[in-house]
Amino acid sequence: MQASPVLVSSDDLYLFNTGQLFRAYRTFGAHPMEYEGCRGVRFVLWAPSAREVSVVGDFNGWSSASRPVNLAQVGTTGVWVGFSPDLNEGDRYKYEIVNAGGERLLKSDPFGFQSELRPNTASVVASLNHYDWQDRDWIDNRRKHPPYEKPMLIYEVHLASWRMDAPEQLRSYEQLAQELVDYVCSMGYTHIEVMPITEHPLDRSWGYQTTGYYAATSRYGPAEGLKKLIDRCHQQGIGVLLDWVCGHFCKDDHGLRLFDGSPLYENSDYRRAEKPLWGTLAFDFGKPQVLSFLLSNALFWLDVYHIDGLRVDAVASMLDLNFDKPESMRTENRYGGTEDIEALAFLRKLNETVFLHYPESLMMAEDSSSYPAVTSPTYLGGLGFNYKWNMGWMNDMLRYMETDPSHRSSYHSLITFSLHYAFSENYVLPLSHDEVVHGKRSMLNKMPGTYEEKFANLRLFYGYWMTHPGKKLLFMGGEFGQFDEWKDYAGLDWSLLQFPLHDSMQRYVRALNHIYLNNGELWERDHEQGGFEWIDVNNAPQCMLSFQRNGKSAESSTVSVCNFSRETHSIYRIGVSNQGHYRLILNSDEAEYGGGGYSFPSRVASQPTPFHGKPYSIEVPVPALSFQLWKSETA
């Protein structure tokens, strides 16, 4: 075993210790390489409070007492370095760390690129360069066409439970590269958002309690399989987003907690470190080495796995020092406030770093707070994300839709309030996994009424959602009316598609998705006030709502008509902007989609009768619990 400082650049060590080594994964971890004419593995580890550090594995019986493989500390940098000709790619290993008190700890590699299949916890020596990417056209096109004026339909997926033939029989990355990608393409989605796939010990954590930040979980096979999945998505025109957890980590002994015997990745003040809501520990964003670790991890997934963007989890919990903490754990920042100043600085630096290297990336904040300017540039005082989940819209709309139609008139503001702030941020409208677990019921089962009314309500809701300003995200199963809430330990209930209303719901969502994709009015001006106009916003007594979406062309528009009541209107007048004809492009009450099949004209002529503040109007039938979309033919 050789341990020489020349194995690591002094510049890299300086940048790492000042929070500026943005691709630290190229230095730290276990790297197969040649050194002084000998093939082996270089190890680099940050453990400043350790007295000794050794590499242990199968080759020495998992103990440094036999065939010691010792690392040497490089000066006062806190970094330990060594080279071993005894290890090769595929070998399992851990770090044996002797802490300041003489206790021996066995730790997985924080920068390990591969992990054993759970419940085993060793790291595995792995190279990052064994895959021949075929997505150059996608990458080049992504750089030329930013996302703001493009459609965005995100399908959120938990890979384990999307399809499962039996408990513990998970699809591999390679199988998903065929089945999942083909399905997403057929349904018309533009992106897949994958729930966390960084290595984690407990399936039921869904990946949100991580131990291996640089290791794609081995549950679905080798890392090359994940690259194939992403590569095929890109070849089929599908972007891939990763649900990324940078706010906290789990406490398992082999992970980051008390890594070298001291609170290294977490804060030394337990009140700052503890996340009692989740039983995890928050990262200490005040440590520059932690910044190098996390910023490098963001770029790692973009560099190595060609990920198109990150959905940053639990931003609200990062912004507030006292998020969901009891009174005994409350702290203040240096100004006497409760904002986490270091976390704010980290988030700004994160977005600046990502956009410096990948200006076309999608950086999405899952943020339930009212913190301002989340999607404003950092040079204007914002956090620098380019999208934020609209949790307020989601909560208001689900509360409204869960209300029986006979009582909805008293809650009309819930479906209109979002337009007061819809253009204050760049929003994604999420219907995510969080809304269909823990007793919240599935999207379909949230809907009130009879069996048939549940489907009618859901079709209506999806129509309103799809034509409301903002990009779209739907969790798997919602597209065919999964009736039970999501079960992470079992596959989706695909057998429901043998029942007519579920099959019809899937066809409706497919049609709705493609209508969205093919009508620029619904996405070209998502973030501009001029892209939206209310037609009738105040008809609470009848639970009716109508609005217009405008495209780039002055005459390009669609009209959405939503009837949230059980009352059918054989003739209903709606104000419109354009003279000419309006063509019906979607009717949720079509028999094909499981509706009542109410007779509709396919085109109506606008009349020179001003109404709803518009110069023209049309008369159309409006069935109960229905959504319809009309397109101006003067465009």
Side-chain angles (χ1 to χ4, degrees):
M1 179 74 181
Q2 302 178 51
S4 171
V6 300
L7 283 163
V8 179
S9 153
S10 60
D11 288 343
D12 282 357
L13 296 181
Y14 171 80
L15 292 171
F16 177 76
N17 281 314
T18 56
Q20 301 176 83
L21 189 60
F22 300 144
R23 288 187 166 93
Y25 70 88
R26 295 177 178 174
T27 299
F28 287 77
H31 289 266
M33 62 180 294
E34 183 174 308
Y35 177 62
E36 295 184 344
C38 182
R39 292 295 302 175
V41 179
R42 182 192 68 185
F43 295 92
V44 181
L45 178 72
W46 178 51
S49 295
R51 280 174 29 188
E52 299 174 17
V53 176
S54 303
V55 179
V56 297
D58 293 320
F59 65 96
N60 63 4
W62 297 92
S63 172
S64 60
S66 170
R67 296 179 64 192
V69 181
N70 300 318
L71 275 63
Q73 187 166 191
V74 183
T76 59
T77 63
V79 175
W80 298 73
V81 181
F83 177 84
S84 173
D86 296 324
L87 278 85
N88 300 288
E89 190 168 351
D91 285 339
R92 302 183 302 155
Y93 71 98
K94 283 188 177 182
Y95 292 112
E96 185 182 85
I97 297 172
V98 179
N99 66 18
E103 180 185 6
R104 293 184 180 271
L105 312 172
L106 278 182
K107 292 287 188 176
S108 300
D109 190 344
F111 283 89
F113 302 134
Q114 184 178 329
S115 297
E116 283 188 288
L117 179 64
R118 48 89 174 100
N120 296 324
T121 58
S123 301
V124 179
V125 178
S127 172
L128 298 174
N129 305 311
H130 288 330
Y131 187 80
D132 181 19
W133 289 90
Q134 303 295 317
D135 62 349
R136 174 50 54 191
D137 289 345
W138 168 269
I139 299 296
D140 291 344
N141 186 64
R142 186 180 70 181
R143 290 170 179 161
K144 295 173 184 175
H145 301 287
Y148 304 103
E149 297 178 359
K150 294 172 63 178
M152 190 183 298
L153 277 174
I154 305 168
Y155 188 63
E156 186 188 26
V157 181
H158 179 251
L159 294 183
S161 58
W162 181 69
R163 283 190 187 272
M164 192 184 297
D165 296 327
E168 296 293 315
Q169 291 187 19
L170 309 183
R171 292 290 200 273
S172 69
Y173 290 124
E174 292 213 17
Q175 288 174 304
L176 291 164
Q178 293 296 324
E179 297 177 16
L180 175 60
V181 177
D182 288 349
Y183 179 74
V184 166
C185 289
S186 72
M187 289 297 295
Y189 293 102
T190 64
H191 292 76
I192 297 171
E193 180 177 298
V194 183
M195 288 171 65
I197 51 173
T198 45
E199 194 59 83
H200 53 284
L202 180 65
D203 291 0
R204 304 300 302 275
S205 78
W206 312 335
Y208 289 97
Q209 297 195 8
T210 294
T211 50
Y213 275 80
Y214 288 81
T217 179
S218 53
R219 285 166 173 78
Y220 316 112
E224 284 68 29
L226 175 58
K227 292 177 182 178
K228 183 174 182 179
L229 168 58
I230 296 167
D231 199 3
R232 186 157 191 269
C233 281
H234 288 171
Q235 292 173 46
Q236 298 299 316
I238 304 298
V240 182
L241 308 175
L242 176 62
D243 200 338
W244 190 60
V245 186
C246 59
H248 60 115
F249 56 90
C250 65
K251 297 181 178 181
D252 291 58
D253 286 342
H254 67 283
L256 300 180
R257 182 178 68 96
L258 298 174
F259 187 79
D260 61 358
S262 69
L264 190 60
Y265 288 87
E266 67 271 34
N267 198 290
S268 59
D269 183 342
Y270 84 95
R271 297 172 302 169
R272 294 279 185 96
E274 291 286 343
K275 291 279 191 184
L277 180 66
W278 299 311
T280 56
L281 295 170
F283 281 102
D284 184 350
F285 300 108
K287 287 194 181 89
Q289 298 90 344
V290 171
L291 297 186
S292 288
F293 176 81
L294 290 172
L295 295 174
S296 295
N297 189 246
L299 289 184
F300 169 83
W301 290 102
L302 304 178
D303 288 345
V304 176
Y305 285 92
H306 292 203
I307 291 290
D308 297 286
L310 303 173
R311 177 265 200 188
V312 180
D313 178 60
V315 169
S317 77
M318 298 171 66
L319 301 179
D320 184 356
L321 288 169
N322 301 321
F323 183 86
D324 275 330
K325 290 186 178 180
E327 191 66 35
S328 61
M329 293 180 64
R330 292 183 176 269
T331 58
E332 296 179 345
N333 62 36
R334 58 181 175 270
Y335 303 112
T338 61
E339 290 181 346
D340 190 328
I341 296 171
E342 288 81 12
L344 285 166
F346 162 71
L347 290 172
R348 293 189 177 105
K349 188 64 176 178
L350 167 68
N351 288 314
E352 290 170 354
T353 302
V354 168
F355 289 129
L356 174 65
H357 297 277
Y358 292 94
E360 72 282 2
S361 285
L362 296 169
M363 293 296 290
M364 298 182 175
E366 189 262 322
D367 178 23
S368 58
S369 78
S370 58
Y371 192 87
V374 171
T375 59
S376 292
T378 58
Y379 62 80
L380 294 178
L383 290 187
F385 290 93
N386 52 8
Y387 285 98
K388 172 180 174 173
W389 277 24
N390 193 337
M391 310 294 277
W393 171 88
M394 178 272 298
N395 283 309
D396 286 349
M397 280 307 305
L398 292 182
R399 181 183 171 197
Y400 181 84
M401 293 306 303
E402 290 177 42
T403 301
D404 189 272
S406 60
H407 301 297
R408 283 175 177 167
S409 60
S410 300
Y411 300 94
H412 194 70
S413 63
L414 289 174
I415 55 173
T416 62
F417 180 68
S418 59
L419 269 299
H420 289 288
Y421 62 87
F423 307 104
S424 62
E425 304 273 9
N426 299 328
Y427 281 118
V428 173
L429 307 184
L431 300 173
S432 77
H433 69 276
D434 276 330
E435 312 319 316
V436 294
V437 289
H438 303 320
K440 296 179 184 177
R441 297 171 295 168
S442 70
M443 294 303 301
L444 178 65
N445 207 16
K446 291 178 191 289
M447 302 296 115
T450 65
Y451 182 69
E452 290 76 13
E453 285 179 336
K454 285 179 178 293
F455 284 92
N457 269 300
L458 190 58
R459 292 192 302 270
L460 163 61
F461 176 38
Y462 283 168
Y464 173 80
W465 164 65
M466 194 66 74
T467 55
H468 185 290
K471 308 307 182 186
K472 312 298 188 291
L473 178 143
L474 182 66
F475 183 58
M476 63 183 198
E479 75 276 14
F480 62 81
Q482 172 91 6
F483 203 86
D484 287 343
E485 68 176 22
W486 173 48
K487 305 177 288 292
D488 57 78
Y489 53 83
L492 294 179
D493 296 326
W494 294 100
S495 61
L496 289 174
L497 289 172
Q498 67 184 301
F499 299 102
L501 281 178
H502 292 276
D503 179 64
S504 297
M505 175 61 73
Q506 187 188 52
R507 280 188 276 113
Y508 174 73
V509 170
R510 182 184 293 115
L512 184 61
N513 287 353
H514 284 92
I515 284 169
Y516 169 82
L517 296 177
N518 294 326
N519 291 275
E521 300 94 334
L522 302 179
W523 41 263
E524 287 175 345
R525 302 176 68 188
D526 255 336
H527 312 301
E528 302 175 27
Q529 182 72 56
F532 177 92
E533 295 178 46
W534 284 119
I535 296 175
D536 186 10
V537 64
N538 295 316
N539 193 349
Q542 291 183 304
C543 300
M544 290 286 295
L545 200 65
S546 53
F547 55 87
Q548 178 173 306
R549 293 299 305 274
N550 302 317
K552 289 183 176 180
S553 166
E555 296 182 332
S556 173
S557 64
T558 61
V559 172
S560 296
V561 182
C562 307
N563 181 5
F564 293 98
S565 79
R566 289 191 175 99
E567 182 179 354
T568 292
H569 306 277
S570 58
I571 295 293
Y572 193 88
R573 185 175 293 275
I574 299 164
V576 294
S577 298
N578 297 328
Q579 184 178 16
H581 287 85
Y582 280 78
R583 177 170 54 89
L584 182 66
I585 58 176
L586 186 69
N587 167 25
S588 72
D589 195 57
E590 288 277 1
E592 174 188 2
Y593 303 137
Y598 197 95
S599 179
F600 262 79
S602 60
R603 294 167 77 244
V604 294
S606 64
Q607 304 169 12
T609 304
F611 204 65
H612 290 144
K614 302 291 185 182
Y616 306 97
S617 57
I618 57 175
E619 288 187 329
V620 299
V622 181
L625 300 173
S626 71
F627 169 83
Q628 51 192 275
L629 186 64
W630 297 85
K631 185 177 178 72
S632 171
E633 291 201 320
T634 60

